[in-house]
Amino acid sequence: MYFLIDFENVQNEGLKGARYLGKEDTVVIFYSTSCEKIQQGSLQQLLDSSCELDICKLKKAGKNALDFYIATKIGAVFGSGYRGRAAIVSRDQGFIAVRDYWRIQGKEAREITLGSSLEQCILQANENRPRTQEVREWLKPVKLETEFARYQERRRVREALESVFADSGYEEQVEIIQGLFEKRSGKKILYLDAVKTFGRKDGLEIYRKMRRWIG
């Protein structure tokens, strides 16, 4: 996917979702002298993603100048024979016209996605790829009270397991053990998972301690 970022418009907020990028993605950041700095963490996520990264600085300030840069780049990308999806990361509604232009080009149409961040564009693109579902889950609204109750229960279980396995030699494995406990669907499955994870000897010992605790 080809991402064109209107950095002057969205700034660092537009880079949310950089962790979902991959080597098949290209990112071009368009910026000006009024917005030359980027958060180190956001930049590092882009670098770590293995995407192809480029930057384009506005040569001369002017009304909507950066928008014209981006629109021109879209034309150059599609004109070069690119057949994938492009995304414009911006809050500027003027880019709707750019998207619509390419939509009415018949069989030569190229799809453009609009969003205020990388993750929003990935979501809007609705690709048949795992990252779409990952973003959807990440952005899904949840009820605060419900999630806080789950958090409290996890803390309760963690504290209980730390007590159960205190001075047992398995103290460093409590986080993994908690994961087995939380996904259990019966004592037999819990036993099998423990043996699979820790080996027969340790797995059996861990299972016995958990079984006594569970009751």
Side-chain angles (χ1 to χ4, degrees), residues 28-47:
V28 184
I29 300 177
F30 292 82
Y31 69 106
S32 66
T33 53
S34 65
C35 189
E36 294 182 300
K37 293 186 177 181
I38 184 173
Q39 290 177 351
Q40 176 64 42
S42 297
L43 177 59
Q44 193 59 52
Q45 280 193 324
L46 284 172
L47 298 176

Side-chain angles (χ1 to χ4, degrees), residues 16-27:
K16 286 183 176 180
R19 62 196 177 103
Y20 298 110
L21 299 175
K23 61 182 180 180
E24 70 282 0
D25 296 310
T26 298
V27 174

Side-chain angles (χ1 to χ4, degrees), residues 141-158:
V142 294
K143 192 172 181 180
L144 182 57
E145 287 184 10
T146 301
E147 296 306 311
F148 183 66
R150 289 177 180 172
Y151 160 75
Q152 288 181 310
E153 175 61 13
R154 280 185 57 82
R155 286 196 60 180
R156 185 193 69 79
V157 170
R158 181 59 176 264

